[in-house]
Amino acid sequence: MATIQALTAKEILDSLGIPTLEVTLWLDSGAAVVTSVATGTSTGQFETTDLRDNDSARMVGRGVLQAVNHINQTIAPALIGRDPTDQAGLDQLLLQLDDSPRQSKLGGNTLIAVSQAILKAGALSQNWPIYYYLQQKYQLTQNLTIPTCIFCMIDGGVHGSDNLDFQEFQIIPASFIDYPSALNLAVTLYQKLEEVLVNRKAVHATGTLGGFTPNLMTNSEVFDVMIEAIKATPYIFSQDVFFGLDASANNFYYGNRYHLKDKSQAYSSKELMEYYRTMRQAHKVIYLEDPFNLDDTKNWLELTAELGSTTSVSSDSLTDSNSKRITEVSSKKFANTFVLKPSKQATITELLLCVSAARQAGNQIVIAHRSGETNDDLVADLAVGIGANFAKFGPVNRQERLAKYNRLSQIHQEIVNRNAVQTTLEVTVAPIVAATPEVTATPTISNPPV
Ligand code: PGA
Ligand code: ZN
């Protein structure tokens, strides 16, 4: 059995230039893993608490040196000598070290940094890639496949330049397109979109995530320019490629109304619902994330009931990757798709419980990046290893996003190779760790027909 030999943390900067944690974990063999924590721009009420130094003299108060100390002084001694494949047991230990409701004592960011390192170290101790280790250990998916990717093309809302209300305008390649071809499609459309924006003399600078932030004045103009870009390629809209949207409606909801710049008067929930209906029809938006405010659940329910058979109504901030919330929201049918981001909670075990909770009612799962990213590509392995329906890693721009897409390329190639030598592998691979009882195997659901 491999054991944890040492664990150290340090402060690094994320893609937004904000401090975050990087952890290195050594096994007794001398091999090591490194991981780092992504951070969101909008953090929700069901997330754990990020521990920040709040020292205004340094890193605008957002330093994580206390968290570094907690890892080096408190957590490391508790983990040394332990078996890294005991993810559930070690995650439990982390939660015992900080039993406050939202992990405000040691910090949710502190704990997830360590929990991610344990996952990577567990896989390393078996000499397996992380996605394969996850699949074999937890059996949350029968098949290893690359999820359908949701590529962001245009950054709006809080990630854009303040003229577009919706946070992400996305393209989704049809699920029959394999990953290398889907990546080719995304890169082709991204480059073509730039040309279209330049030809229209629109701003073609990029926003927080690396999507374009054009000075277009209406949300529907965005769909027009994206259609123009698609038409300039061999791809056929609504056959090869569809649209998705992360509305992130919490960010334009105040005073009981939705403030869309498209309209001179703010929308009621009913009017926004009608807007989505039209958009679904006119622009073939098959993925709609956070369409309404958190407390507007009546409309979440109505939208899911009305469009849910053909559209992924996706909850990010309604559930915050919290398994209890997912169970509740799923049973009330407020959404049929759940966005999971490891750094919204304190442990990998909690993320795996979210997968089971979402799957219980046959919902779809999106494994997603965050706005404040690092070059860590763990989410790519997670997406494949748990059999996510979708992977949402942002635009095909900026190294912290491309790290994930490049990792998917590598995994795709490994799966192709693995399938080619399946018979040989079956006789040579040793038996593996049993599934943990609390994260039970559930049948895989296939990608949605698009
Ligand atoms: P976040 O936003 O980085 O604030 O989590 C990304 C998203 O809404 O998907
Ligand atoms: Zn979102």
Side-chain angles (χ1 to χ4, degrees):
M1 178 188 86
T3 56
I4 297 171
Q5 177 89 18
L7 183 69
T8 60
K10 69 175 191 211
E11 184 184 83
I12 60 166
L13 296 177
D14 70 17
S15 59
L16 305 178
I18 302 293
T20 190
L21 287 162
E22 182 183 272
V23 166
T24 306
L25 186 160
W26 284 267
L27 293 175
D28 56 339
S29 63
V33 293
V34 180
T35 192
S36 48
V37 180
T39 313
T41 302
S42 343
T43 45
Q45 65 193 87
F46 308 106
E47 288 188 41
T48 53
T49 314
D50 255 8
L51 183 70
R52 299 282 167 184
D53 296 339
N54 295 322
D55 169 5
S56 57
R58 197 181 162 272
M59 295 287 183
V60 288
R62 301 198 64 189
V64 290
L65 297 182
Q66 289 175 41
V68 166
N69 264 338
H70 288 322
I71 293 174
N72 293 344
Q73 309 297 329
T74 308
I75 298 176
L79 293 184
I80 288 166
R82 301 292 299 260
D83 173 4
T85 64
D86 181 16
Q87 185 83 44
L90 298 185
D91 280 347
Q92 192 54 37
L93 179 65
L94 293 178
L95 295 176
Q96 280 162 7
L97 291 172
D98 183 350
D99 57 3
S100 61
R102 294 174 63 198
Q103 285 74 47
S104 54
K105 230 161 59 187
L106 297 179
N109 50 341
T110 315
L111 300 189
I112 192 64
V114 176
S115 186
Q116 288 181 186
I118 292 166
L119 173 65
K120 286 190 171 188
L124 179 66
S125 74
Q126 307 283 315
N127 285 321
W128 284 343
I130 300 158
Y131 66 90
Y132 187 71
Y133 172 73
L134 278 164
Q135 187 222 16
Q136 295 288 301
K137 187 173 168 74
Y138 296 103
Q139 298 171 27
L140 289 161
T141 181
Q142 285 168 353
N143 303 313
L144 288 174
T145 50
I146 306 293
T148 297
C149 287
I150 299 173
F151 297 97
C152 178
M153 289 282 137
I154 289 189
D155 290 353
V158 295
H159 297 161
S161 52
D162 209 30
N163 56 326
L164 299 169
D165 308 292
F166 301 134
Q167 188 166 285
E168 288 184 33
F169 293 84
Q170 304 147 337
I171 55 138
I172 307 175
S175 56
F176 64 80
I177 298 178
D178 73 1
Y179 180 67
S181 309
L183 193 60
N184 177 33
L185 181 152
V187 168
T188 306
L189 285 184
Y190 186 86
Q191 300 297 332
K192 209 38 96 179
L193 187 56
E194 180 165 13
E195 272 175 47
V196 169
L197 293 172
V198 169
N199 290 343
R200 285 187 176 219
K201 302 205 179 341
V203 172
H204 58 280
T206 55
T208 305
L209 306 181
F212 295 110
T213 54
N215 49 340
L216 302 171
M217 294 327 291
T218 68
N219 295 304
S220 103
E221 269 181 90
V222 173
F223 292 112
D224 294 343
V225 293
M226 294 207 293
I227 290 279
E228 194 180 327
I230 294 169
K231 282 189 175 154
T233 71
Y235 300 109
I236 299 171
F237 175 59
S238 189
Q239 180 179 307
D240 301 320
V241 59
F242 298 80
F243 289 146
L245 193 72
D246 181 358
S248 204
N250 302 328
N251 289 323
F252 53 86
Y253 180 81
Y254 46 92
N256 282 326
R257 310 220 24 121
Y258 294 95
H259 296 258
L260 287 184
K261 298 185 187 81
D262 276 17
K263 297 286 164 196
S264 51
Q265 296 215 316
Y267 274 169
S268 65
S269 301
K270 223 167 149 251
E271 286 165 328
L272 186 62
M273 174 78 77
E274 187 52 35
Y275 187 89
Y276 288 140
R277 248 182 224 123
T278 311
M279 211 171 67
R280 172 70 183 91
Q281 195 61 30
H283 303 300
K284 305 280 185 285
V285 173
I286 59 161
Y287 175 88
L288 189 46
E289 182 176 323
D290 286 348
F292 294 102
N293 191 45
L294 290 187
D295 57 13
D296 199 354
T297 49
K298 184 176 163 292
N299 287 288
W300 277 88
L301 176 68
E302 200 178 319
L303 189 74
T304 306
E306 192 182 316
L307 299 182
S309 61
T310 56
T311 310
S312 303
V313 179
S314 181
S315 162
D316 178 8
S317 54
L318 190 61
T319 39
D320 280 338
S321 306
N322 175 318
S323 63
K324 289 198 178 76
R325 278 291 294 169
I326 290 175
T327 301
E328 186 188 339
V329 165
S330 165
S331 71
K332 291 181 175 165
K333 300 195 186 315
F334 294 157
N336 61 14
T337 302
F338 292 92
V339 177
L340 304 184
K341 300 167 173 172
S343 69
K344 282 203 168 208
Q345 297 299 326
T347 65
I348 288 294
T349 300
E350 174 63 12
L351 185 97
L352 299 171
L353 289 171
C354 287
V355 174
S356 297
R359 285 277 164 76
Q360 217 124 58
N363 299 294
Q364 302 174 107
I365 292 169
V366 184
I367 295 284
H369 70 144
R370 304 205 75 178
S371 41
E373 266 297 339
T374 71
N375 287 343
D376 196 328
D377 54 16
L378 178 63
V379 280
D381 281 72
L382 274 167
V384 177
I386 61 100
N389 304 82
F390 298 106
K392 189 177 83 123
F393 300 152
V396 279
N397 187 14
R398 305 268 174 91
Q399 197 51 47
E400 74 278 3
R401 319 286 151 191
L402 298 173
K404 282 77 170 163
Y405 291 122
N406 288 339
R407 174 67 185 146
L408 286 183
S409 295
Q410 190 180 346
I411 296 173
H412 172 82
Q413 193 53 53
E414 285 176 17
I415 293 171
V416 170
N417 295 347
R418 188 176 288 277
N419 289 343
V421 293
Q422 190 66 39
T423 327
T424 325
L425 274 174
E426 270 163 17
V427 292
T428 53
V429 169
I432 41 91
V433 198
T436 30
E438 66 270 41
V439 184
T440 49
T442 46
T444 321
I445 54 174
S446 55
N447 285 334
V450 288

